Amino acid sequence: MMKRIAILVSGSGSNMMAVIEACKNGHIAGKVGCVISSNHTALAIEKAKQFNISTYISSKSDFSSPEMRDEHMLTILEKNKTDLIVLAGYLGILSSQIIRKYSGKIINVHPSLLPKFGGHGFFGMNVHKAVIEAGEKYSGATVHLVDEGIDTGKILSQEKVKVEKSDTPETLAKKVLKIEHKILVETIKNLTQNEQKHLTFSQMANSGCYYTPHKFVSYLIELIKKNVPDYEKATLIDTSCGYGSMFYGNDIKVKRRILSDIDEKAVEIARGKIKQEAEFFVKNALCNTSREKYNLSEDDKIIVIGNPPYNDVTSHVKNEIKTSNKNEFTIDEDLKTRDYGISFMLSYDKFKADFVAILHPFSYLIKKANFKLLEKFFKHYSIVDSVIINSQEFSQTSRLTGFPIIIALYKRGGATTYSSIMERKWYLPCGKSFNLNKKFIGELINKYPPKIFPDILKAPLFWTMRDINALRRNKTFIKEVCANAVLIDIEKLPFYCYVDVFKDYVKHIPFYLGNLDVFIDLEEFEKIKTHFMARSAEKHPHLKTWIKEDKCDKTIIDEYFKKLLGGDYID
């Protein structure tokens, strides 16, 4: 179903034109229903008229009160049955009434890397002048949801450009504008094609349901075509199909296509979207799991395809709206885990699928606790081919902290060991490779709180440690005992100082290493650890009770991290 888009403008309308063109060529599953300008002389209005798009002027000067202007704009939006409002170079400020009525359905493109250079006074050339005057190495563009603040809404997409010494505000503006066009179009594409419109945001987060961009489906299809012999004779099945994104526009020729989901409404929508011959089921894939429930025999060759729901109930992300103590549907005892995605992977093994082509969090492989939960699966399946992508490319996921997702093809036969995962060379879509063969801090220190604290503390305290992404948002050294307090073995204090300083450098660590434990070059660290300890004492003066070192050369620490990360270092 085409989504109707209202574009709000104030100037030349170059971003507006990028959206109109993307709708015309089918890149966006939507239609620009109207264009509203805050400026009578905006060139965007004349451009929109050339495409027979309804245009309106809603200028402050035309109304005796803000309330009358609000009513005028709301009438236009409702008349055009607006699904999504796009602010594209719009210099006005929307009222609370409009923002609340269209909550979660208004986006803005801003010419900086928010939260930097956003808010009052930061618009147009003012932004680029400020970026250059501040000596920033990078600028860029951001697409964000609009809330009642100014440039404060949730970030949906962001991309940067390098600021050269020779750049002027005008040359920088041209570079940023190209990025604006690109990320605005891609964000609208995601919002109009990949969301589950019949579910609330809470339901989506609770079920771990986010729909898959078509380019990632294409990756999966290519993996199958490249690596599965006689795939034409196989049955392709998605047991958590949602709206059928794995089959929509998918031209692979197979013996049978089966789409199934526990959500009856989603299956109904999928049935209306899929044009190829296919079979549809409303089934709970995690209950009484078997081939028979899909009319499949033991002799049928099966390729599971999909992006199974991911919902780790122990994660702090969206924790306040997740169901942490109960399932809303029945799950076989041998499939129950703390994460729906892990349960689905175990169901594929129980199903005895010949091949499994899916997206799932990379943490299922690299975190020992997850790997152990998937022991039955990895005992029977080996990795044939894969590519690592960023979670930030999915609509409505966290835009500030991306985590790695693997697009993988598994084959039944052989096995996957934890050591093989850590030694394997992994690839990104751009062809860049990386490995996980590192020394981790968890092997050297205690990361978790003790069961009982002594009555008198004779050592400093540290916050519970998880992975690098958790370190981005968590504390390090703390002063008082709490549920997350780790009691430090004073002999290990240098390593806790290492983690404390490591936190300062997480901005240089790429998304694909974000689910790892903090890693260390132990030999190099031993040579310079006094600098790390002195740095921690500078940051946390209460540590001077235990730390006597007072000489910190930040250049030495900088060079250590550049060497540690090597080609993975982000400038």
Side-chain angles (χ1 to χ4, degrees):
M1 181 179 173
M2 284 282 187
K3 301 301 174 186
R4 293 185 62 84
I5 302 167
I7 302 181
L8 275 57
V9 296
S10 297
S12 65
S14 64
N15 275 316
M16 175 197 74
M17 289 302 299
V19 176
I20 291 172
E21 290 294 338
C23 290
K24 277 185 62 183
N25 63 29
H27 191 67
I28 290 175
K31 178 182 179 181
V32 178
C34 66
V35 171
I36 307 173
S37 173
S38 63
N39 177 8
H40 281 272
T41 61
L43 291 175
I45 289 294
E46 295 307 314
K47 292 177 181 178
K49 286 179 179 178
Q50 293 174 14
F51 292 88
N52 297 317
I53 296 170
S54 299
T55 60
Y56 304 87
I57 306 294
S58 189
S59 173
K60 284 183 181 179
S61 61
D62 296 335
F63 300 93
S64 58
S65 70
E67 291 76 19
M68 288 185 67
R69 187 188 184 206
D70 289 350
E71 288 301 322
H72 178 246
M73 290 189 72
L74 282 170
T75 300
I76 295 168
L77 295 169
E78 290 168 4
K79 175 184 175 182
N80 286 277
K81 299 178 181 178
T82 302
D83 298 304
L84 177 68
I85 301 171
V86 177
L87 310 189
Y90 182 70
L91 301 183
I93 297 176
L94 295 181
S95 69
S96 297
Q97 184 182 2
I98 294 173
I99 291 170
R100 289 170 186 170
K101 181 174 178 61
Y102 288 93
S103 176
K105 298 177 181 179
I106 310 173
I107 64 172
N108 178 51
V109 60
H110 184 80
S112 78
L113 297 174
L114 292 176
K116 288 186 174 183
F117 306 103
H120 286 287
F122 285 111
F123 60 87
M125 206 60 70
N126 290 357
V127 174
H128 307 303
K129 287 179 182 176
V131 168
I132 291 174
E133 288 172 2
E136 295 289 317
K137 291 183 179 180
Y138 293 95
S139 187
T142 304
V143 178
H144 64 92
L145 288 174
V146 174
D147 60 16
E148 292 185 55
I150 299 178
D151 302 326
T152 56
K154 179 180 175 180
I155 292 173
L156 300 177
S157 185
Q158 200 166 63
E159 192 165 323
K160 64 184 180 181
V161 296
K162 192 170 181 61
V163 180
E164 305 290 349
K165 290 182 180 179
S166 59
D167 269 326
T168 64
E170 289 75 19
T171 60
L172 181 57
K174 288 179 181 178
K175 290 196 290 188
V176 170
L177 189 59
K178 291 180 181 178
I179 299 300
E180 289 183 46
H181 294 170
K182 175 185 173 185
I183 65 172
L184 180 60
V185 166
E186 287 303 312
T187 303
I188 296 172
K189 177 186 174 184
N190 286 339
L191 291 174
T192 55
Q193 289 185 338
N194 299 319
E195 290 182 11
Q196 301 174 51
K197 296 296 183 182
H198 73 290
L199 298 182
T200 65
F201 181 73
S202 294
Q203 288 171 324
M204 290 171 68
N206 192 36
S207 301
C209 300
Y210 298 100
Y211 278 68
T212 313
H214 184 69
K215 65 179 178 180
F216 298 145
V217 178
S218 297
Y219 284 166
L220 282 177
I221 298 303
E222 289 307 310
L223 290 183
I224 292 171
K225 289 180 176 179
K226 177 182 173 183
N227 297 289
V228 179
D230 298 324
Y231 64 82
E232 301 92 342
K233 299 176 182 178
T235 294
L236 194 64
I237 180 171
D238 186 350
T239 59
S240 55
C241 72
Y243 288 1
S245 59
M246 292 292 158
F247 293 82
Y248 184 66
N250 172 349
D251 64 350
I252 189 170
K253 293 179 172 58
V254 291
K255 181 181 176 182
R256 293 171 66 189
R257 292 180 179 82
I258 296 178
L259 294 85
S260 180
D261 201 287
I262 194 172
D263 185 338
E264 185 175 358
K265 179 65 175 177
V267 174
E268 177 187 333
I269 293 170
R271 193 189 298 271
K273 287 178 63 177
I274 307 305
K275 304 305 178 186
Q276 307 101 317
E277 185 176 340
E279 301 164 53
F280 296 87
F281 295 85
V282 179
K283 301 278 188 184
N284 176 359
L286 302 181
C287 179
N288 299 320
T289 301
S290 68
R291 291 185 171 211
E292 288 76 17
K293 69 191 295 181
Y294 302 104
N295 301 326
L296 291 164
S297 72
E298 293 301 315
D299 296 328
D300 284 320
K301 183 176 182 177
I302 295 175
I303 304 171
V304 168
I305 190 170
N307 183 8
Y310 165 62
N311 179 27
D312 181 352
V313 296
T314 67
S315 169
H316 292 281
V317 179
K318 302 188 184 78
N319 178 263
E320 73 281 1
I321 54 175
K322 287 181 178 178
T323 304
S324 58
N325 59 0
K326 62 177 180 144
N327 288 306
E328 295 178 353
F329 52 87
T330 305
I331 300 179
D332 291 344
E333 284 299 321
D334 56 346
L335 300 181
K336 279 185 180 178
T337 70
R338 56 178 166 75
D339 191 310
Y340 295 149
I342 291 176
S343 296
F344 268 95
M345 288 182 70
L346 293 175
S347 77
Y348 306 148
D349 173 53
K350 192 172 180 180
F351 204 57
K352 294 182 180 177
D354 298 276
F355 289 88
V356 176
I358 58 171
L359 293 87
H360 68 74
F362 197 36
S363 61
Y364 288 3
L365 291 169
I366 65 179
K367 290 192 174 181
K368 286 186 177 179
N370 290 337
F371 187 85
K372 187 170 179 59
L373 288 174
L374 278 163
E375 191 172 16
K376 288 181 183 177
F377 180 88
F378 290 129
K379 184 178 179 181
H380 297 132
Y381 288 88
S382 55
I383 302 173
V384 178
D385 206 347
S386 65
V387 65
I388 308 299
I389 60 170
N390 193 334
S391 67
Q392 291 174 312
E393 296 202 52
F394 285 78
S395 136
Q396 295 222 17
T397 57
S398 173
R399 310 307 298 187
L400 296 178
T401 306
F403 60 86
I405 291 175
I406 184 171
I407 300 177
L409 177 68
Y410 295 95
K411 178 182 178 181
R412 192 170 183 85
T416 301
T417 63
Y418 190 74
S419 60
S420 70
I421 290 166
M422 304 311 285
E423 293 167 6
R424 187 183 179 99
K425 186 180 286 187
W426 301 96
Y427 287 90
L428 305 175
C430 64
K432 176 182 171 64
S433 65
F434 65 95
N435 67 71
L436 309 172
N437 192 12
K438 304 178 187 299
K439 179 74 173 177
F440 297 107
I441 204 76
E443 301 168 20
L444 304 170
I445 60 177
N446 179 26
K447 296 170 58 180
Y448 303 105
K451 292 182 179 178
I452 301 175
F453 279 91
D455 293 332
I456 300 176
L457 292 175
K458 297 182 178 180
L461 299 169
F462 208 82
W463 193 262
T464 300
M465 281 181 274
R466 297 183 185 275
D467 60 18
I468 291 170
N469 277 346
L471 184 63
R472 294 177 194 271
R473 60 181 180 267
N474 287 346
K475 306 170 188 176
T476 53
F477 287 103
I478 55 177
K479 294 181 180 179
E480 297 179 357
V481 172
C482 64
N484 284 300
V486 177
L487 185 61
I488 294 175
D489 177 346
I490 203 66
E491 292 183 1
K492 302 289 187 181
L493 179 57
F495 296 124
Y496 289 92
C497 291
Y498 176 83
V499 177
D500 177 51
V501 177
F502 191 101
K503 178 179 172 66
D504 296 338
Y505 288 83
V506 292
K507 61 187 177 183
H508 299 295
I509 296 174
F511 78 92
Y512 48 83
L513 301 180
N515 283 145
L516 291 179
D517 188 5
V518 170
F519 46 90
I520 184 171
D521 182 330
L522 191 55
E523 184 177 345
E524 289 298 316
F525 174 66
E526 287 294 339
K527 297 175 187 175
I528 60 173
K529 64 183 179 184
T530 56
H531 295 276
F532 282 77
M533 296 178 74
R535 176 64 184 134
S536 285
E538 287 177 3
K539 294 169 62 181
H540 311 280
H542 75 282
L543 294 178
K544 291 179 181 178
T545 302
W546 298 278
I547 297 175
K548 304 308 176 186
E549 290 81 359
D550 59 3
K551 183 180 179 182
C552 170
D553 189 333
K554 190 172 183 297
T555 302
I556 290 175
I557 296 174
D558 287 345
E559 289 305 313
Y560 166 83
F561 280 105
K562 287 179 180 177
K563 184 177 178 182
L564 177 73
L565 289 164
D568 295 321
Y569 186 91
I570 298 175
D571 192 358

